Amino acid sequence: MRMNVSPEPAEAGLRPLSARSVVLSLLLGAHPAQLPVKDLVRLVEPFGVGGSTLRAALSRMVAAGDLRRTDAVYRLSDRLLARQRRQDEALRPVTRAWGGDWEMVVITATGRGPAERAELRARLTALRLAELREGVWLRPANLDRALPDTLDSVALTCSARPDEPPHDLVARLWPLDAWAATARMLLARTSAARDPADRLTAYAAAVRHLLTDPVLPPGLVPADWPGDALRTAYAGFQRELAASVGRRERCA
């Protein structure tokens, strides 16, 4: 039996952000995901990133395919736009009433190399599925979304009603106590942080953690589940960044 792993509170991604991370955090929170370089220079300054450091990071990011440049405007690449969509969905997951059914994905493809297997695992995890045993993934069918057709070539997808009590099955699939403890620690850090760089570091860790929230039906998580509180806190910070970008554009 396998279990999705949630970081311990002390390992929740609270690492200092590089110039690349600062740029990505700003662009991933911007809609549309593009900014002129003159605005980027002003926006990254409070986070301790100087102009020359920024320009070097932008050049490397364009070369690596993270960004695209048109004249003096930098925008996210298609790959990172997909990441932005996943991030937005993590902040606003669309759910429906749960009637007891589970989504199940059984891997049928064979002969795949390690890279292909890792990529498939990442795709399934991003869909908020969890691996019960080798090649068998499932979750309660409370998300208002269909599984992508691209899975048909490598897996059998179906609806199921496991005999095991849902609370027991959830406990085997997700470390809910550890996830909640990390979320509460991040809420405390985001609330206490005052320095712009510290705030961005804490909120960047928060959004990464939200990507791993299983978004389970209300009856299958503790009553004090902190997922919505963390989403609300990050959404507020995102609005702050958007307002800051808007003010700088009006003053330019």
Side-chain angles (χ1 to χ4, degrees), residues 32-87:
Q34 61 184 48
L35 286 169
V37 66
K38 60 182 177 61
D39 289 335
L40 279 169
V41 169
R42 289 192 289 265
L43 286 166
V44 302
E45 186 177 3
F47 304 110
V49 179
S52 59
T53 300
L54 171 66
R55 289 181 171 83
L58 291 173
S59 295
R60 289 193 295 269
M61 294 170 75
V62 170
D66 294 330
L67 301 179
R68 293 181 176 178
R69 177 180 177 177
T70 303
D71 296 326
V73 175
Y74 289 87
R75 55 180 51 83
L76 293 179
S77 66
D78 291 344
R79 173 175 58 82
L80 287 175
L81 283 174
R83 174 176 163 183
Q84 185 188 54
R85 286 192 293 271
R86 292 194 300 272
Q87 178 173 300

Side-chain angles (χ1 to χ4, degrees), residues 43-215:
L43 286 166
V44 302
E45 186 177 3
F47 304 110
V49 179
S52 59
T53 300
L54 171 66
R55 289 181 171 83
L58 291 173
S59 295
R60 289 193 295 269
M61 294 170 75
V62 170
D66 294 330
L67 301 179
R68 293 181 176 178
R69 177 180 177 177
T70 303
D71 296 326
V73 175
Y74 289 87
R75 55 180 51 83
L76 293 179
S77 66
D78 291 344
R79 173 175 58 82
L80 287 175
L81 283 174
R83 174 176 163 183
Q84 185 188 54
R85 286 192 293 271
R86 292 194 300 272
Q87 178 173 300
D88 290 345
E89 290 167 1
L91 295 175
R92 292 174 288 275
V94 181
T95 60
R96 61 191 180 198
W98 185 55
D101 287 340
W102 290 63
E103 295 175 350
M104 180 174 287
V105 176
V106 180
I107 307 304
T108 56
T110 59
R112 294 169 297 123
E116 291 176 296
R117 291 197 299 272
E119 192 274 337
L120 180 57
R121 290 180 63 84
R123 286 169 57 197
L124 294 171
T125 300
L127 289 166
R128 304 187 191 278
L129 292 152
E131 192 172 28
L132 178 65
R133 58 177 57 90
E134 185 69 30
V136 179
W137 295 71
L138 69 166
R139 66 156 293 112
N142 68 310
L143 294 181
D144 193 11
R145 58 104 167 95
L147 292 172
D149 293 338
T150 51
L151 288 177
D152 292 345
S153 62
V154 295
L156 170 69
T157 62
C158 60
S159 178
R161 286 217 172 193
D163 292 333
E164 186 172 352
H167 282 90
D168 294 348
L169 191 51
V170 162
R172 293 174 61 194
L173 292 169
W174 288 282
L176 297 185
D177 289 345
W179 196 96
T182 299
R184 293 188 186 98
M185 181 276 291
L186 289 170
L187 279 167
R189 292 291 186 92
T190 56
S191 177
R194 295 293 178 265
D195 178 77
D198 291 341
R199 295 189 75 217
L200 186 62
T201 296
Y203 278 109
V207 76
R208 286 193 296 271
H209 194 54
L210 285 170
L211 290 171
T212 67
D213 182 358
V215 190

